Amino acid sequence: MVIELETKKQMRSAKWKRVLQNYELYLFLLPALVYFIVFHYVPMQGVIIAFKDFVPTLGINGSPWVGFEHFERFFNSFQFAKLMENTISLSLLQLLFGFPLPIILALMLNQLAQERYKRFIQTVIYAPHFISVVVLAGMIFVFFSNKGLANSIIVLLGGDPVNFMAKAEWFQPLYIGSGLWQETGWAAIIYLAALAGVSPEIHEAAVMDGANKWQRILHVDIPAILPIAVILLVLSVGNIMNIGFEKAFLLQTPLNAPTAEIIPTYVYKTGLQQAQYSFAAAVGLFNAVINLVLLWLVNRAAKRISGNGLW
């Protein structure tokens, strides 16, 4: 027992010595640490209004406790099932199409031999990432309006125009498709960085052993990016209930609301527009807890299957 305590003390001492030797690197972390403490952890005390009947004039501490009343109201609401269906289906479809495409794109770009051509393609596919969500939503309304580009092509080919923004079934394809166009190229950067770290000698050895391009992708490139892919998958699944509020809200119309209304937009409308602060806080807290549970489960499964995880 004494030996174990001495060993632990020595390990702690060695750890603090390493910290002091590299204190400049830890100073770089300080602004991010302060940011998260001030803007993420300190405001978390306000989550208790989900268990209170919050009255602004009484403040958080002065408002009366109501327990799980707001959660029960949300679970018993006629909107609960539809909100869950819309949120989960949109998230899963976004994950299904949005997660593998950057990997495929990075593997394809990595095979290009001409650097000038490769840089040109990278610039083109990265550019949409820098378009703001507001501008992107405006572009979607313009291109898919009754007289927009999409309907002009449909009419030119002999079809009838489609009012995309007024049909509920078109909300998810437009949301996911625009997201793929905007973010796939940018998301591929991290995989390209991992592929750039693969030693050329490994590829040369594989070529000497008779491996073709497909075999080198399968046995050299994919194993190189697998740890990063697993971590990003865990983060994506852990964030599955937290779809981007801005684009969903901007693309909503009264006619596509049956599929466009998701938990983040519902929280905004009930909390800020209708001033039901406690109820909106309860719905948001429920959403955050689901994300936390999913993050823990997927991380645990990933560590068991591949040995890689967030912690």
Side-chain angles (χ1 to χ4, degrees), residues 23-37:
Y23 72 94
E24 300 98 337
L25 299 176
Y26 289 93
L27 285 176
F28 279 109
L29 291 174
L30 189 59
L33 186 63
V34 171
Y35 166 80
F36 276 98
I37 291 173

Side-chain angles (χ1 to χ4, degrees), residues 7 13 19 44 46 89 187 232 236 241 248 257 263 288 301 308:
T7 305
S13 177
V19 171
M44 283 177 64
S89 62
L232 292 179
S236 299
M241 298 287 287
I263 289 178
N308 298 304

Side-chain angles (χ1 to χ4, degrees), residues 7 15 29 59 61 91 97 138 152 185 304:
T7 305
K15 185 187 296 184
L29 291 174
N61 295 326
S91 297
F97 293 102
S152 298
R304 285 190 175 184

Side-chain angles (χ1 to χ4, degrees), residues 186-221:
W186 186 258
I189 290 177
I190 191 168
Y191 297 111
L192 284 169
L195 290 170
V198 178
S199 174
E201 296 176 357
I202 299 176
H203 282 284
E204 292 172 3
V207 171
M208 291 182 65
D209 289 338
N212 55 34
K213 281 190 176 182
W214 169 248
Q215 290 172 328
R216 283 188 283 130
I217 290 174
L218 191 62
H219 298 290
V220 177
D221 291 339

Side-chain angles (χ1 to χ4, degrees), residues 128-143:
H129 171 77
F130 300 98
I131 299 175
S132 73
V133 178
V134 177
V135 174
L136 178 64
M139 291 169 62
I140 293 172
F141 272 98
V142 170
F143 291 152

